[in-house]
Structure formats: structure tokens, C-alpha cells
Amino acid sequence: MLESFNHITKVKGELNLPGDKSISHRSIFFSAMADGKSVIKNLSDGEDVLSTIKSFSDLGCEIKKEKNEVIIRGKGFKNFNKPQKSLNCGNSGTTARLITGLLSAQNFESTLTGDESLSKRPMERVIIPLKQMGAKFESENNCLPLKVIPNNKLHPINYKLPIPSAQVKSSIILAGLHCEGITSIVEKTPSRNHTEKMLGLEVKKSKSGNTILVSKKNYPIPAEYFIPSDVSSAAFFIVLSILTKDSSLRIKNVSLNETRKGYLKILNEMGAKINFENISVSSGEVFGDVIVESSKLKNVEIPEEIIPNIIDEIPILSVVGLFAEGNFSIKSANELRKKESDRINSLCYNYKLLGLDVDELEDGFTISGKIKNKKVVFESFDDHRIAMTFGILSLLLIDGGKVNNFG
């Protein structure tokens, strides 16, 4: 679908966004694992989260929606039903990687599938540590479809993450919840910590990184969850407000987890006017209102250590860089090439359409120069973050713009 966008002149008001996708996934996992009834409020209704719901329904969980609540009756410790068919993870890498850890400890074999895009994304990064714990797998090229051959007596491991990844970390944690002994996971560079916070895991911090400890004693129990608004989704509206003259916007109940608001720190350093009010905590997660105003910005150097915590926001941050003083540059972001599209290539392709000077690197890119071309049709590459990024950019262009395959 080709979507057209007209130039916007002002942003004003208050906004409520759907629940955070990462926290939504985990609340379903923990509710499904718990022995009894859990209630989730403000759950994301995105396709990825629906893939997680469908997978647990196929594993025997009773899941129903009542108004703004989702009620899950969990199956308890190692009590899931053997699925009658393959578990389809759709386009959700979070579903596929996290559920692989959980299925590695069950009493039955299972197979994971996904759409064409997900079937190209690497699963080896979770397969390696889970094999060390005793599970076995069958697949071609360590991608989906993936057959999980569980071990009823998984053993704990001490594992050092080769790359920062919340999905890999969480997959090991889910397997470690089924072990008698303590599994320790060391991450040199901290990644999203929703799993640790929601389970109340012990995290030892040192100069060499974080060590997360998990065992059977941390297994989830029935609970009530409130899902804050998605801080990654908020980024698009924050950027639009900052870059539009005479604008101000309040976004309600946004997740302010310290491992997710790295892009807000970058925006502040660039000169953005961002404030926080009505701070609260639920299930270990901090959230509050984000208030943003039009701002004059300048590009800054983005440090390597913050990259894992802004990886999803780099596309929309590049739009900020386009309108800020100086040139925008990002490095050490190889992981962008392993998303729904090769986002480094996707971004560079679209920025070149504008006549900008673009230098594509193996681990990032640089944008400089002035916009020379008008009435551009951007390509989404069937990647929702690329589509949204260039939808926002189109709203900021005097002549507007179009995004191909936006839907």
C-alpha cells in the first residue's frame, strides 16, 4: 500500500499509546508459566504480541480479553500441553527466541516456524547456550523452522554473552528457571532488563559488566501486570514534536526503564526539551508522562556503549540528525543488519533518494549535505520501523512524501 503524507505545521495535545511490546511479551510468558490466574492491563495488541498469545494458546493456556484486561490461566511448572502443530511465531523474533528457552525444558518435542522474514533471522545465538544446558535442536542453517528436542533435566551454566542481546539473555533465563542450580549470565554491555526486573532476579554489577543469577526458585507466580506505553513507539511522536515549530506534546504513562530510554538521553544532549512527570512503578518497571517541546538541535557523537539500548530508535534518530546542525553518524550498530530488514541498507537507500550524501559502513552510516530531491517515494522494505521513520520524515518535508508498502 502506498501511503501519502502531507507537511505538518504544529503538534499539540496529549497522547496515550498502546502497551510496551517488550514488557507485553514477557507478561504473557510469565502469566502462562505461573500456576493460576494472572491479569494484564494495557497489553499491546500488535501482531508480534498476538503471535506470543497464539503460541501459548496452542500450548494449552486459556487466554481471554475483557475490556482493557487480558486474563491468562497459566499451566504451571513443566505442565504445558504438547502442541498439535508447529508454533507459528509470525514475524516476532522475541516470541521465537524466548519460547525456545522455555520449550527446551518441557516434556515434549516441538517445532517453531515463522514468516519469510523471521525465517532468515539467526537462531544460533540462543541455540548455542541452550545446547550447553542439555537441549538439542534440528534446523537448516540454524534458522526457523526449528525443532526443539528438550531435556527434562536441564543443567545450569555460566554463560558470557558474546554480544549484548536481551532476547538471548531472556531465553537462557527462561531455561534457567527450570534448573535446580544457579545459572549465571554475564553481559559486558547491559541490554534491556525487563526480564530481570519482572522476575526480581539478582543482578550483580561490576566494572566488567552485569551478572544475572537465576534458578528454579525464581519461577513466576500468578500476578497482575500493568503495561506502560511503548517507549520505542513514543520515539516517533517525540521526534515529530521536537522538529515541528511551536509544538508541545504530553505522552502518558510511558515506560522509562533505564535500558530503554537511551535515545531520550541522546536527544537531550542534542538540545531537545524533554521533561518527565507523574513517575510511578509497577512490576519493577518505572513509567511516567513525557513532555516534549520544539527544539533547536545539533548532532553529537553517539557512544558505542549506548548502542544496544537505542538499537530500535536509530532509524528515527537519523531523522533528527538530518534536521540538526552538523552531520549525523552512527557506528558499532551491526545488529541493525539483522532486523526485519537490513536497516543500515534500508536507511541509506532512502536517504540517497533525497539527494543526500550518504556513506554506508559495515556497522553504520553517515548522512550529510542538503535535501535536493522533492516528492520522493520512500521504500519501507516491509519493515515497520523503516515505514514509520520515513512516514515521520514525510510529515516534516515541505512537499510531504510517500512510503511504499507502508501497511
Side-chain angles (χ1 to χ4, degrees), residues 72-299:
I72 299 179
R73 294 195 176 275
K75 299 294 290 183
F77 189 78
K78 290 189 180 182
N79 200 34
F80 289 107
N81 298 349
K82 179 181 173 68
Q84 299 302 305
K85 56 186 178 181
S86 297
L87 298 175
N88 189 345
C89 301
N91 188 241
S92 176
T94 300
T95 306
R97 293 189 178 121
L98 268 63
I99 209 166
T100 300
L102 178 62
L103 294 172
S104 294
Q106 300 307 309
N107 300 312
F108 50 80
E109 295 182 0
S110 52
T111 299
L112 301 176
T113 61
D115 67 9
E116 183 179 358
S117 173
L118 184 61
S119 298
K120 295 176 182 177
R121 296 175 67 182
M123 290 293 288
E124 185 177 24
R125 53 185 63 179
V126 297
I127 289 173
I128 290 173
L130 293 174
K131 275 186 174 180
Q132 292 179 20
M133 298 179 82
K136 296 180 180 179
F137 304 91
E138 293 180 4
S139 72
E140 291 186 16
N141 303 318
N142 291 317
C143 293
L144 300 185
L146 176 69
K147 184 176 183 179
V148 182
I149 305 169
N151 187 327
N152 195 35
K153 293 185 179 179
L154 288 180
H155 53 80
I157 59 171
N158 299 318
Y159 190 74
K160 185 174 182 179
L161 290 168
I163 59 170
S165 170
Q167 292 179 358
V168 176
K169 175 176 60 176
S170 296
S171 187
I172 301 169
I173 288 172
L174 287 166
L177 289 169
H178 297 82
C179 297
E180 294 292 343
I182 297 175
T183 289
S184 66
I185 305 155
V186 179
E187 54 176 2
K188 181 180 178 182
T189 303
S191 59
R192 296 182 181 184
N193 63 2
H194 300 301
T195 303
E196 299 96 296
K197 281 187 172 294
M198 295 174 74
L199 288 172
L201 301 184
E202 180 181 358
V203 179
K204 295 182 177 180
K205 298 185 178 183
S206 67
K207 292 181 179 179
S208 58
N210 291 346
T211 300
I212 301 103
L213 305 176
V214 59
S215 70
K216 189 176 177 180
K217 72 176 185 178
N218 302 116
Y219 199 84
I221 59 175
E224 183 172 301
Y225 298 96
F226 171 76
I227 313 300
S229 294
D230 192 332
V231 65
S232 293
S233 296
F236 298 105
F237 302 97
I238 288 171
V239 166
L240 181 63
S241 303
I242 288 171
L243 296 178
T244 305
K245 289 182 179 180
D246 303 319
S247 295
S248 64
L249 180 68
R250 176 187 292 266
I251 309 179
K252 301 279 288 183
N253 297 323
V254 178
S255 170
L256 298 176
N257 181 291
E258 69 272 15
T259 64
R260 295 287 303 284
K261 61 178 187 177
Y263 78 90
L264 294 173
K265 178 182 178 182
I266 297 296
L267 288 173
N268 270 322
E269 291 178 358
M270 294 177 76
K273 299 174 184 176
I274 303 176
N275 292 294
F276 308 98
E277 294 181 357
N278 302 325
I279 306 300
S280 300
V281 180
S282 177
S283 303
E285 293 287 350
V286 179
F287 62 95
D289 296 353
V290 179
I291 302 96
V292 295
E293 299 177 41
S294 306
S295 308
K296 186 176 181 180
L297 308 173
K298 62 178 180 180
N299 278 301

Side-chain angles (χ1 to χ4, degrees), residues 371-403:
I371 294 174
K372 304 179 183 69
N373 302 329
K374 299 179 180 180
K375 297 183 179 179
V376 168
V377 178
F378 298 109
E379 178 58 54
S380 73
F381 295 93
D382 295 317
D383 184 329
H384 69 291
R385 291 198 189 277
I386 297 299
M388 284 293 294
T389 293
F390 288 96
I392 295 296
L393 176 55
S394 295
L395 290 170
L396 294 165
L397 297 174
I398 296 297
D399 296 297
K402 296 181 179 180
V403 181

